[in-house]
Amino acid sequence: MRALFAVPPLAGHVNPTVAVGAELAARGHEVAWTGPASALARLLPPSARVLPAGDDAGGGGYAALHERWRDLRGVGALRFLWEEALIPLARAMVPGVTRAVRGFAPDVVVCDQQALAGPLAARRLGVPWVTSASTSAELTGPFAGFPRVGEWVAGQVAGLLAEFGEGGGDGGGWDPRFSELLVLVFSTPELLGPGAVCAPHHAYVGPAFGARPAVPGFPWRRLDPGRRRVLVSLGTLNQEAGARFYRAVLGAAERLAPQVQLVLAAPAALVGEVPGHVLLRPSVPQLELLPHLDAVVCHGGHNTVCEALAYGLPLVVAPIRDDQPIVARQVTDAGAGVRVRFGRTGAEELRDAITAVLDDPGPRRAARRIQASFAAAGGASAAADRLEKLT
């Protein structure tokens, strides 16, 4: 089998495909990725085969796009995501993805939900395509309470389809975000809750962890065995928006000092001076670090949440935008963590939230229940099994 992964230039969306691709390669299958090559080179293993699709966004590239996006919230962030990121990315990627499908001749194209060019090219060329749902938000009726927002998003999708001669609206009969053949969901119903869509072609495989770029020089000896250890991370895209939040983190660290060590993944320039018991690093080897922790404070990013729960760690979630409030609600509804306000959390509130997930056995029990569901789901191996059955 030949599998082509169509992905956007975002770590959280690429990471699951790395694990699934490695599993397929270990079984003797051929794999390749298509997307913006310069970005994918930083996110994929050096040996990965990359077929370029989509140049840097206009107006200064993805870095400039991020500068404009990072301070947006709510509907403004959603509009920006579709109008300035997803739709332009699809337009830019379609020619390259089309060349990749023709040249690589895959048996199946595995398309991330935010790489809309993948389904467009695969459908046009008659190649089976499946969805890689690297975040579960779209599978829980995210716009049920906001029908006009949902209609607006559907209009964006319909407009893109019409632009490429694929109909759109009710006449189009299909949605590039959801394959009718197979949807690989990198989560489980135990986390998504009762709102999860459980159609027969939706495979809940749990998180899939693949190789990550090395993070050299982490000071493992500075982890304090006499304190409970908590990671604080806002992910790879949200650090610059966290200046105020980091002040609350340092205040909470001071109040928790006798019992808790915070490992803070953040730019030193935004955080400033930290007390000696706080371990500040610009980035951390997260998967290697998680077994040494007692809890995680994060922004509600799907990857970080699932990685923490895969190690049975309770969470404090401070969602910022996009799917993060939905993922945060999944965590709290499951009983696996506490939610705080990203923009308004003070030191005392954050201290109380961290203390709650450390001292109350309920969040840890819930986290371990989800951990067991993740293990049973099978991860990359289960995803590879489902792909093999298609060919």
Side-chain angles (χ1 to χ4, degrees):
M1 176 177 68
R2 287 188 171 191
L4 177 65
F5 294 93
V7 292
L10 300 168
H13 296 252
V14 173
N15 286 342
T17 71
V18 173
V20 177
E23 178 68 22
L24 290 172
R27 299 183 185 191
H29 304 298
E30 292 186 57
V31 296
W33 282 260
T34 184
S38 59
L40 295 189
R42 299 189 296 269
L43 301 173
L44 292 168
S47 60
R49 181 175 179 180
V50 178
L51 307 175
D55 299 323
D56 283 349
Y62 292 111
L65 202 63
H66 178 246
E67 288 284 333
R68 295 159 54 202
W69 164 84
R70 69 183 185 191
D71 294 323
L72 296 174
R73 303 287 186 273
V75 174
L78 182 68
R79 291 185 66 91
F80 186 89
L81 175 67
W82 280 96
E83 294 179 341
E84 304 295 332
L86 299 187
I87 299 298
L89 178 65
R91 293 188 185 114
M93 284 180 58
V94 162
V97 175
T98 301
R99 288 192 298 270
V101 173
R102 285 176 171 153
F104 186 62
D107 299 291
V108 62
V109 183
V110 183
C111 307
D112 183 90
Q113 282 186 307
Q114 293 191 358
L116 303 173
L120 285 167
R123 182 180 173 93
R124 178 175 293 178
L125 297 175
V127 178
W129 64 276
V130 308
T131 297
S132 171
S134 52
T135 176
S136 57
E138 292 274 15
L139 302 172
T140 59
F143 306 123
F146 308 94
R148 290 188 178 180
V149 177
E151 291 170 3
W152 182 85
V153 171
Q156 295 299 304
V157 173
L160 178 68
L161 294 179
E163 184 177 335
F164 285 91
E166 291 288 345
D170 293 337
W174 71 291
D175 189 328
R177 296 171 297 171
F178 306 103
S179 169
E180 297 178 355
L181 184 62
L182 175 63
V183 177
L184 295 173
V185 187
F186 294 100
S187 186
T188 60
E190 284 76 10
L191 176 57
L192 270 67
V197 178
C198 292
H201 68 293
H202 287 196
Y204 285 85
V205 300
F209 303 142
R212 304 285 173 84
V215 181
F218 184 78
W220 293 99
R221 292 184 179 181
R222 286 192 58 195
L223 293 178
D224 188 344
R227 291 183 170 97
R228 289 180 289 183
R229 296 175 291 273
V230 178
L231 172 66
V232 180
S233 172
L234 297 181
T236 56
L237 294 178
N238 297 286
Q239 290 181 335
E240 293 85 355
R244 186 191 182 285
F245 188 76
Y246 295 142
R247 291 196 294 272
V249 169
L250 294 183
E254 181 180 354
R255 291 159 173 79
L256 293 166
Q259 298 88 25
V260 177
Q261 178 185 33
L262 297 187
V263 181
L264 177 55
L270 283 180
V271 178
E273 187 175 351
V274 300
H277 70 284
V278 173
L279 179 50
L280 173 65
R281 303 291 295 177
S283 60
V284 298
Q286 189 159 292
L287 287 179
E288 293 83 359
L289 181 61
L290 288 170
H292 304 276
L293 301 176
D294 296 281
V296 171
V297 178
C298 73
H299 60 305
H302 195 262
N303 259 26
T304 301
V305 164
C306 287
E307 288 172 8
L309 292 173
Y311 285 90
L313 299 177
L315 291 134
V316 175
V317 283
I320 306 172
R321 64 171 74 80
D322 300 335
D323 65 327
Q324 295 158 18
I326 298 170
V327 176
R329 187 178 68 242
Q330 292 174 7
V331 171
T332 56
D333 286 351
V338 174
R339 177 174 176 167
V340 297
R341 302 163 297 176
F342 177 78
R344 291 182 288 172
T345 298
E348 290 80 10
E349 183 183 356
L350 188 56
R351 174 204 60 194
D352 292 345
I354 293 172
T355 300
V357 299
L358 289 174
D359 292 348
D360 183 346
R364 186 167 296 278
R365 282 198 299 267
R368 287 176 175 169
R369 183 182 71 250
I370 297 169
Q371 177 188 28
S373 77
F374 284 178
S381 178
D385 289 344
R386 292 299 296 260
L387 290 172
E388 286 183 326
K389 290 177 182 178
L390 296 177
T391 58

